Coordinates of all heavy atoms in Angstrom, one line a residue:
M1027 N 0.5 6.1 -12.7 CA 1.3 7.2 -12.4 C 0.6 7.8 -11.2 O -0.5 8.1 -11.1 CB 1.2 8.1 -13.7 CG 2.1 7.7 -14.7 SD 2.5 9.0 -15.9 CE 0.8 9.3 -16.7
P1028 N 1.5 8.4 -10.3 CA 1.1 9.0 -9.2 C 0.6 10.6 -9.5 O 1.1 11.1 -10.5 CB 2.3 9.1 -8.3 CG 3.5 8.8 -9.1 CD 3.0 8.2 -10.3
L1029 N -0.3 11.1 -8.7 CA -0.7 12.4 -8.6 C 0.0 13.3 -7.8 O 0.1 12.9 -6.5 CB -2.2 12.5 -8.4 CG -2.9 13.9 -8.3 CD1 -2.9 14.5 -9.8 CD2 -4.2 13.8 -7.7
Y1030 N 0.9 14.3 -8.3 CA 1.7 15.1 -7.4 C 1.1 16.5 -7.1 O 0.4 17.0 -8.2 CB 3.1 15.2 -8.1 CG 3.9 14.0 -8.0 CD1 4.3 13.4 -9.2 CD2 4.3 13.5 -6.8 CE1 5.1 12.3 -9.2 CE2 5.2 12.3 -6.7 CZ 5.5 11.8 -8.0 OH 6.3 10.7 -8.0
E1031 N 1.3 17.0 -6.1 CA 0.7 18.4 -5.8 C 2.0 19.3 -5.8 O 3.0 18.9 -5.2 CB 0.1 18.5 -4.4 CG -1.1 17.6 -4.2 CD -1.7 17.6 -2.9 OE1 -1.6 18.6 -2.2 OE2 -2.3 16.8 -2.5
Y1032 N 1.8 20.5 -6.4 CA 2.9 21.6 -6.6 C 2.3 22.8 -6.0 O 1.1 23.1 -6.1 CB 3.4 21.7 -7.9 CG 4.1 20.5 -8.5 CD1 3.4 19.6 -9.2 CD2 5.4 20.4 -8.4 CE1 4.1 18.4 -9.7 CE2 6.1 19.3 -9.0 CZ 5.5 18.4 -9.6 OH 6.1 17.3 -10.2
R1033 N 3.3 23.7 -5.4 CA 2.9 25.0 -5.1 C 4.0 26.0 -5.5 O 5.1 25.7 -5.3 CB 2.6 25.1 -3.6 CG 2.2 26.5 -3.1 CD 1.6 26.5 -1.7 NE 0.5 25.7 -1.4 CZ -0.8 26.0 -1.9 NH1 -1.2 27.0 -2.4 NH2 -1.7 25.0 -1.6
C1034 N 3.5 27.1 -6.1 CA 4.6 28.1 -6.5 C 5.1 28.9 -5.3 O 4.3 29.4 -4.5 CB 4.0 29.1 -7.6 SG 5.2 30.4 -8.1
E1035 N 6.4 28.9 -5.1 CA 6.9 29.7 -4.0 C 6.9 31.3 -4.3 O 7.0 31.9 -3.3 CB 8.4 29.3 -3.7 CG 8.5 27.8 -3.3 CD 9.9 27.5 -3.0 OE1 10.9 28.0 -3.4 OE2 10.0 26.4 -2.2
A1036 N 6.7 31.6 -5.5 CA 6.6 33.0 -5.7 C 5.1 33.5 -5.5 O 5.0 34.6 -4.8 CB 7.1 33.3 -7.1
C1037 N 4.1 33.0 -6.1 CA 2.8 33.5 -6.1 C 1.8 32.6 -5.3 O 0.7 33.0 -5.1 CB 2.3 33.6 -7.5 SG 1.9 32.2 -8.4
G1038 N 2.2 31.4 -4.8 CA 1.3 30.5 -4.0 C 0.4 29.7 -4.8 O -0.5 29.0 -4.3
Q1039 N 0.4 29.8 -6.2 CA -0.6 28.9 -7.0 C -0.4 27.6 -6.9 O 0.7 27.0 -7.0 CB -0.3 29.4 -8.4 CG -1.2 28.7 -9.5 CD -2.6 29.1 -9.5 OE1 -2.9 30.2 -9.1 NE2 -3.6 28.2 -9.7
P1040 N -1.5 26.8 -6.5 CA -1.4 25.3 -6.4 C -1.6 24.7 -7.8 O -2.2 25.3 -8.8 CB -2.5 25.0 -5.5 CG -3.5 26.0 -5.6 CD -2.8 27.3 -6.1
E1041 N -1.1 23.5 -7.9 CA -1.3 22.7 -9.2 C -1.1 21.2 -8.9 O -0.4 20.8 -8.0 CB -0.1 23.1 -10.1 CG -0.2 22.3 -11.5 CD 1.0 22.8 -12.3 OE1 2.2 22.8 -11.9 OE2 0.7 23.2 -13.6
E1042 N -2.0 20.4 -9.5 CA -1.8 18.9 -9.4 C -1.4 18.5 -10.8 O -2.0 18.8 -11.9 CB -3.1 18.3 -9.0 CG -3.6 18.6 -7.5 CD -4.8 18.0 -7.1 OE1 -5.6 17.4 -7.9 OE2 -5.0 17.9 -5.8
K1043 N -0.6 17.4 -10.9 CA -0.2 16.8 -12.1 C 0.0 15.3 -12.0 O 0.5 14.8 -11.0 CB 1.2 17.3 -12.6 CG 1.2 18.8 -13.1 CD 2.5 19.3 -13.4 CE 2.5 19.4 -15.0 NZ 4.0 20.0 -15.4
L1044 N -0.4 14.6 -13.0 CA -0.2 13.2 -13.1 C 1.1 13.1 -13.8 O 1.3 13.4 -15.0 CB -1.4 12.4 -14.0 CG -2.6 12.1 -13.2 CD1 -3.6 11.6 -14.2 CD2 -2.4 11.1 -12.1
E1045 N 2.1 12.5 -13.2 CA 3.5 12.4 -13.7 C 4.1 11.0 -13.3 O 3.7 10.3 -12.3 CB 4.4 13.6 -13.1 CG 3.9 14.9 -13.6 CD 4.8 15.9 -13.1 OE1 5.3 16.0 -12.0 OE2 5.1 16.8 -14.0
S1046 N 5.1 10.7 -14.0 CA 5.9 9.6 -13.7 C 6.7 9.7 -12.4 O 6.9 10.7 -11.9 CB 6.9 9.1 -14.8 OG 7.8 10.1 -14.9
L1047 N 7.2 8.6 -11.9 CA 7.9 8.5 -10.5 C 9.3 9.4 -10.7 O 9.8 9.9 -9.9 CB 8.2 7.1 -10.1 CG 7.0 6.4 -9.6 CD1 7.4 4.9 -9.4 CD2 6.4 7.1 -8.5
S1048 N 9.7 9.4 -12.0 CA 11.0 10.0 -12.3 C 10.9 11.5 -12.8 O 11.9 12.1 -13.1 CB 11.8 9.3 -13.3 OG 11.0 9.3 -14.6
A1049 N 9.8 12.1 -12.7 CA 9.5 13.5 -12.9 C 10.4 14.4 -12.0 O 10.5 14.1 -10.9 CB 8.0 13.8 -12.8
P1050 N 10.8 15.5 -12.5 CA 11.6 16.5 -11.8 C 10.6 17.1 -10.7 O 9.4 17.1 -10.7 CB 12.0 17.6 -12.7 CG 11.1 17.4 -14.0 CD 10.6 16.0 -14.0
T1051 N 11.1 17.6 -9.5 CA 10.4 18.0 -8.4 C 10.2 19.5 -8.5 O 9.4 19.9 -7.6 CB 11.3 17.7 -7.0 OG1 12.5 18.4 -7.2 CG2 11.5 16.3 -6.8
T1052 N 10.7 20.1 -9.5 CA 10.5 21.6 -9.6 C 10.1 21.8 -11.1 O 10.6 21.2 -12.0 CB 11.6 22.4 -9.3 OG1 12.8 22.2 -10.0 CG2 11.8 22.3 -7.8
H1053 N 9.3 22.8 -11.5 CA 9.2 23.4 -12.8 C 8.7 24.7 -12.8 O 8.4 25.3 -11.7 CB 8.2 22.4 -13.6 CG 6.7 22.3 -13.0 ND1 6.5 21.4 -12.0 CD2 5.7 23.1 -13.4 CE1 5.2 21.5 -11.9 NE2 4.7 22.5 -12.5
G1054 N 8.5 25.4 -14.0 CA 8.1 26.7 -14.0 C 6.6 27.0 -13.7 O 5.7 26.0 -14.0
C1055 N 6.3 28.0 -13.2 CA 4.9 28.3 -12.8 C 4.1 28.7 -14.0 O 4.5 29.8 -14.6 CB 4.8 29.4 -11.7 SG 3.2 29.9 -11.1
P1056 N 3.0 28.3 -14.3 CA 2.2 28.6 -15.3 C 1.5 29.9 -15.1 O 1.0 30.6 -16.0 CB 1.2 27.4 -15.5 CG 1.2 26.7 -14.4 CD 2.4 27.0 -13.7
S1057 N 1.3 30.3 -13.9 CA 0.5 31.5 -13.4 C 1.4 32.8 -13.5 O 0.9 33.7 -14.2 CB -0.1 31.2 -12.1 OG -0.8 32.4 -11.6
C1058 N 2.5 32.7 -12.8 CA 3.3 33.9 -12.7 C 4.6 33.8 -13.5 O 5.2 34.8 -13.7 CB 3.8 34.2 -11.2 SG 4.8 33.2 -10.6
G1059 N 5.0 32.6 -14.1 CA 6.2 32.5 -14.9 C 7.5 32.3 -14.3 O 8.4 32.3 -14.8
A1060 N 7.3 32.2 -12.8 CA 8.6 32.0 -12.2 C 9.4 30.8 -12.6 O 8.8 29.7 -12.5 CB 8.4 32.0 -10.6
Q1061 N 10.7 30.9 -12.9 CA 11.4 29.7 -13.3 C 11.6 28.8 -12.1 O 11.9 29.3 -11.0 CB 12.8 30.1 -13.9 CG 12.7 30.8 -15.3 CD 12.4 29.9 -16.3 OE1 12.1 28.7 -16.2 NE2 12.3 30.4 -17.5
E1062 N 11.4 27.5 -12.2 CA 11.5 26.6 -11.1 C 10.8 27.0 -9.8 O 11.2 26.7 -8.7 CB 13.0 26.5 -10.6 CG 13.9 26.0 -11.9 CD 13.6 24.7 -12.4 OE1 13.4 23.6 -11.6 OE2 13.6 24.5 -13.6
G1063 N 9.6 27.8 -10.0 CA 8.9 28.2 -9.0 C 7.9 27.1 -8.3 O 7.7 27.2 -7.1
M1064 N 7.5 26.2 -9.2 CA 6.6 25.1 -8.7 C 7.4 24.1 -8.0 O 8.2 23.4 -8.7 CB 5.8 24.6 -9.8 CG 4.8 25.5 -10.6 SD 3.6 26.3 -9.6 CE 2.3 25.1 -9.6
K1065 N 7.2 23.9 -6.7 CA 7.9 22.9 -6.0 C 6.9 21.8 -5.6 O 5.8 22.1 -5.1 CB 8.5 23.5 -4.7 CG 9.4 24.7 -4.9 CD 10.8 24.2 -5.3 CE 11.6 25.5 -5.3 NZ 13.0 25.2 -5.9
R1066 N 7.4 20.5 -5.7 CA 6.5 19.4 -5.2 C 6.3 19.4 -3.7 O 7.2 19.7 -2.9 CB 7.1 18.1 -5.7 CG 6.2 16.9 -5.4 CD 6.9 15.6 -5.9 NE 7.2 15.5 -7.3 CZ 7.9 14.6 -7.8 NH1 8.6 13.7 -7.0 NH2 8.1 14.6 -9.2
Q1067 N 5.0 19.1 -3.3 CA 4.6 19.2 -1.9 C 4.6 17.9 -1.4 O 4.2 17.0 -2.2 CB 3.2 19.9 -1.7 CG 3.3 21.3 -2.3 CD 4.2 22.3 -1.7 OE1 4.0 22.5 -0.4 NE2 5.2 22.9 -2.3
L1068 N 4.7 17.6 -0.1 CA 4.4 16.4 0.4 C 2.9 16.4 0.8 O 2.3 17.3 1.2 CB 5.1 16.3 1.9 CG 6.7 16.1 1.9 CD1 7.2 16.2 3.2 CD2 7.1 14.9 1.1
S1069 N 2.3 15.2 0.5 CA 0.9 15.1 0.6 C 0.5 13.7 1.2 O 1.4 12.9 1.0 CB 0.1 15.4 -0.7 OG 0.5 14.6 -1.7
V1070 N -0.7 13.6 1.5 CA -1.1 12.3 2.1 C -1.5 11.4 0.8 O -2.1 11.8 -0.1 CB -2.5 12.4 2.9 CG1 -3.0 11.1 3.4 CG2 -2.1 13.4 4.1
A1071 N -1.1 10.0 0.9 CA -1.4 9.2 -0.1 C -2.8 8.7 0.0 O -3.4 8.6 1.0 CB -0.6 7.9 0.0
A1072 N -3.6 8.5 -1.1 CA -5.0 8.1 -1.2 C -5.0 6.6 -1.5 O -5.3 6.1 -2.5 CB -5.7 8.8 -2.3
F1073 N -4.5 5.7 -0.5 CA -4.4 4.4 -0.6 C -4.8 3.8 0.8 O -4.4 4.2 1.9 CB -2.9 4.0 -0.8 CG -2.6 2.4 -0.8 CD1 -3.1 1.8 -2.0 CD2 -2.2 1.9 0.3 CE1 -2.8 0.4 -1.8 CE2 -2.0 0.4 0.3 CZ -2.3 -0.3 -0.8
A1074 N -5.7 2.9 0.7 CA -6.3 2.1 1.9 C -6.4 0.7 1.6 O -7.0 0.4 0.6 CB -7.5 2.8 2.5
L1075 N -6.1 -0.2 2.5 CA -6.5 -1.7 2.3 C -7.9 -1.8 2.8 O -8.2 -1.6 4.0 CB -5.4 -2.5 3.1 CG -4.0 -2.4 2.7 CD1 -3.1 -3.1 3.6 CD2 -3.9 -2.8 1.3
T1076 N -8.8 -2.3 2.1 CA -10.1 -2.4 2.5 C -10.5 -3.9 1.9 O -9.9 -4.5 1.0 CB -11.1 -1.5 1.9 OG1 -11.0 -1.4 0.5 CG2 -10.7 -0.2 2.5
G1077 N -11.6 -4.4 2.4 CA -12.2 -5.7 1.8 C -11.8 -6.9 2.6 O -11.1 -6.8 3.5
A1078 N -12.4 -7.9 2.3 CA -12.2 -9.2 3.0 C -10.7 -9.7 2.8 O -10.1 -9.6 1.8 CB -13.2 -10.3 2.4
G1079 N -10.3 -10.2 3.9 CA -8.9 -10.7 3.9 C -7.7 -9.7 4.2 O -6.6 -10.1 4.1
W1080 N -8.1 -8.4 4.3 CA -7.1 -7.3 4.6 C -7.3 -6.7 5.8 O -8.7 -6.4 6.1 CB -7.0 -6.3 3.5 CG -6.4 -7.1 2.2 CD1 -7.2 -7.5 1.2 CD2 -5.2 -7.2 1.7 NE1 -6.5 -8.0 0.2 CE2 -5.1 -7.8 0.5 CE3 -4.0 -6.9 2.6 CZ2 -3.9 -8.1 -0.1 CZ3 -2.8 -7.2 1.8 CH2 -2.7 -7.8 0.5
Y1081 N -6.5 -6.3 6.6 CA -6.7 -5.5 7.7 C -5.5 -4.5 8.0 O -4.5 -4.8 7.4 CB -6.9 -6.3 9.1 CG -5.9 -7.3 9.6 CD1 -5.0 -6.8 10.5 CD2 -5.6 -8.5 8.9 CE1 -4.0 -7.6 11.0 CE2 -4.6 -9.2 9.3 CZ -3.8 -8.8 10.4 OH -2.7 -9.6 10.8
K1082 N -5.8 -3.5 8.8 CA -4.7 -2.5 9.0 C -3.7 -3.0 9.7 O -3.7 -3.6 10.7 CB -5.5 -1.4 9.9 CG -4.5 -0.2 9.9 CD -5.2 0.9 10.7 CE -4.4 2.1 10.9 NZ -5.1 3.3 11.5
G1083 N -2.5 -2.8 9.2 CA -1.1 -3.1 9.8 C -0.5 -4.4 9.2 O 0.5 -4.7 9.8
A1084 N -1.1 -5.1 8.4 CA -0.6 -6.4 8.1 C -1.2 -6.7 6.6 O -2.2 -6.3 6.2 CB -0.9 -7.6 9.0
A1085 N -0.7 -7.8 6.1 CA -1.1 -8.2 4.6 C -2.4 -8.8 4.8 O -3.3 -8.6 3.9 CB 0.0 -8.9 4.0
S1086 N -2.5 -9.9 5.5 CA -3.7 -10.7 5.6 C -3.9 -11.3 6.9 O -2.9 -11.4 7.6 CB -3.8 -11.6 4.5 OG -2.8 -12.6 4.7
E1087 N -5.1 -11.6 7.3 CA -5.2 -12.4 8.5 C -4.6 -13.8 8.4 O -4.7 -14.4 7.3 CB -6.7 -12.5 8.8 CG -7.3 -11.1 9.1 CD -8.8 -11.4 9.6 OE1 -9.2 -12.4 10.0 OE2 -9.5 -10.3 9.5
P1088 N -4.1 -14.2 9.5 CA -3.6 -15.6 9.4 C -4.7 -16.7 9.2 O -5.8 -16.5 9.8 CB -2.9 -15.9 10.9 CG -3.4 -14.7 11.7 CD -3.8 -13.5 10.8
A1089 N -4.4 -17.6 8.6 CA -5.3 -18.7 8.2 C -5.6 -19.5 9.5 O -4.6 -19.7 10.3 CB -4.7 -19.6 7.2
A1090 N -6.9 -19.8 9.7 CA -7.3 -20.6 10.9 C -6.8 -22.1 10.7 O -6.8 -22.6 9.6 CB -8.7 -20.5 11.0
A1091 N -6.3 -22.6 11.8 CA -5.8 -24.0 11.8 C -7.0 -24.9 11.6 O -8.0 -24.7 12.1 CB -5.0 -24.3 13.1
P1092 N -6.9 -25.9 10.8 CA -7.8 -26.9 10.5 C -8.2 -27.6 11.9 O -7.3 -27.9 12.7 CB -7.3 -27.8 9.4 CG -5.9 -27.6 9.4 CD -5.6 -26.3 10.0
A1093 N -9.4 -28.0 12.0 CA -9.8 -28.7 13.3 C -9.3 -30.0 13.3 O -9.1 -30.6 12.3 CB -11.4 -28.7 13.4
A1094 N -8.7 -30.5 14.4 CA -8.1 -31.9 14.5 C -9.2 -32.9 14.4 O -10.3 -32.8 14.9 CB -7.5 -32.0 15.8
E1095 N -9.1 -34.0 13.5 CA -10.0 -34.8 13.3 C -9.9 -35.9 14.5 O -8.9 -36.4 14.8 CB -9.6 -35.6 11.9 CG -10.7 -36.6 11.6 CD -10.5 -37.2 10.1 OE1 -10.1 -36.5 9.2 OE2 -10.6 -38.5 10.1
A1096 N -11.0 -36.3 15.0 CA -11.1 -37.3 16.0 C -10.7 -38.6 15.6 O -11.1 -39.1 14.5 CB -12.5 -37.3 16.6
P1097 N -9.9 -39.4 16.3 CA -9.5 -40.7 15.9 C -10.7 -41.7 15.7 O -11.6 -41.5 16.4 CB -8.7 -41.2 17.0 CG -8.8 -40.4 18.2 CD -9.4 -39.1 17.6
K1098 N -10.7 -42.5 14.6 CA -11.7 -43.4 14.3 C -11.6 -44.6 15.3 O -10.6 -45.1 15.5 CB -11.8 -43.9 13.0 CG -12.0 -42.5 12.0 CD -12.0 -42.9 10.6 CE -12.3 -41.7 9.7 NZ -11.4 -41.4 8.7
A1099 N -12.7 -45.2 15.8 CA -12.8 -46.3 16.5 C -12.1 -47.5 15.8 O -12.5 -47.7 14.7 CB -14.2 -46.6 17.1
G1100 N -11.3 -48.3 16.4 CA -10.8 -49.5 15.8 C -9.6 -49.2 14.9 O -9.1 -50.1 14.2
H1101 N -9.0 -48.0 14.9 CA -7.9 -47.7 14.1 C -6.8 -47.0 14.9 O -7.2 -46.3 15.9 CB -8.3 -46.9 12.9 CG -9.2 -47.5 12.0 ND1 -10.6 -47.6 12.2 CD2 -9.1 -48.0 10.7 CE1 -11.2 -48.2 11.2 NE2 -10.4 -48.4 10.3
G1102 N -5.6 -47.2 14.5 CA -4.5 -46.4 15.0 C -3.9 -47.2 16.3 O -4.4 -48.2 16.7
C1103 N -2.8 -46.7 16.8 CA -2.1 -47.3 17.9 C -3.0 -47.5 19.2 O -2.8 -48.6 19.7 CB -0.9 -46.6 18.3 SG 0.5 -46.7 17.1
A1104 N -3.7 -46.7 19.5 CA -4.4 -46.7 20.7 C -5.4 -48.0 20.6 O -5.7 -48.5 21.6 CB -5.2 -45.5 21.0
A1105 N -5.8 -48.2 19.5 CA -6.8 -49.4 19.3 C -6.2 -50.7 18.9 O -6.8 -51.6 18.7 CB -7.9 -49.0 18.3
G1106 N -4.8 -50.6 18.6 CA -4.1 -51.9 18.2 C -4.1 -51.9 16.7 O -3.8 -53.0 16.3
G1107 N -4.7 -51.2 15.9 CA -4.8 -51.3 14.6 C -3.6 -51.2 13.6 O -3.6 -51.5 12.5
C1108 N -2.6 -50.5 14.2 CA -1.4 -50.4 13.4 C -0.4 -51.6 13.4 O 0.4 -51.7 12.5 CB -0.7 -49.1 13.9 SG 0.2 -49.3 15.4
G1109 N -0.5 -52.5 14.4 CA 0.3 -53.6 14.6 C 1.6 -53.4 15.1 O 2.5 -54.3 15.1
C1110 N 1.9 -52.1 15.6 CA 3.3 -51.9 16.3 C 3.2 -52.6 17.7 O 2.2 -52.9 18.3 CB 3.6 -50.4 16.4 SG 2.7 -49.5 17.6
P1111 N 4.5 -52.9 18.2 CA 4.5 -53.6 19.5 C 4.0 -52.7 20.7 O 3.8 -53.2 21.7 CB 6.1 -54.0 19.6 CG 6.7 -53.1 18.6 CD 5.8 -52.8 17.6
L1112 N 4.1 -51.3 20.6 CA 3.6 -50.6 21.6 C 2.1 -50.4 21.7 O 1.6 -49.9 22.7 CB 4.2 -49.0 21.3 CG 5.7 -49.0 21.4 CD1 6.1 -47.6 20.9 CD2 6.3 -49.5 22.6
A1113 N 1.4 -50.8 20.7 CA -0.1 -50.8 20.7 C -0.7 -51.8 21.8 O -0.2 -52.9 22.1 CB -0.6 -51.1 19.4
G1114 N -1.7 -51.3 22.3 CA -2.1 -52.2 23.2 C -3.1 -52.2 24.3 O -3.5 -52.8 25.1

């Protein structure tokens, strides 16, 4: 559940509440009693991607391409080991 910040428009009293995503954006002020006085505020999310495999702006670093294996001597087309007519 997200933590929402509220502020009363009548008295300025701040409040934080853990509520579901479908919670109403206004409610009564517990300090001054104003009906629908507490309005949900826009605030900064406390979420950051950290740790190995994550970097800012993308999901993960691209995987490094595997190093090409050097051909073994005596095998493959260049050495005539495949038997094709182009080998040679």
Side-chain angles (χ1 to χ4, degrees):
M1027 280 198 297
L1029 178 66
Y1030 289 114
E1031 295 178 27
Y1032 293 89
R1033 180 167 305 278
C1034 179
E1035 291 187 340
C1037 69
Q1039 178 70 30
E1041 179 182 51
E1042 291 182 345
K1043 288 179 113 178
L1044 278 174
E1045 295 182 315
S1046 69
L1047 293 171
S1048 61
T1051 59
T1052 61
H1053 62 272
C1055 178
S1057 181
C1058 72
Q1061 293 287 4
E1062 305 295 317
M1064 298 299 274
K1065 305 275 184 188
R1066 189 180 294 168
Q1067 305 294 299
L1068 292 177
S1069 59
V1070 177
F1073 176 78
L1075 297 174
T1076 61
W1080 293 95
Y1081 64 97
K1082 186 176 180 178
S1086 65
E1087 290 184 22
E1095 187 176 315
K1098 297 181 176 121
H1101 296 79
C1103 282
C1108 69
C1110 76
L1112 300 176

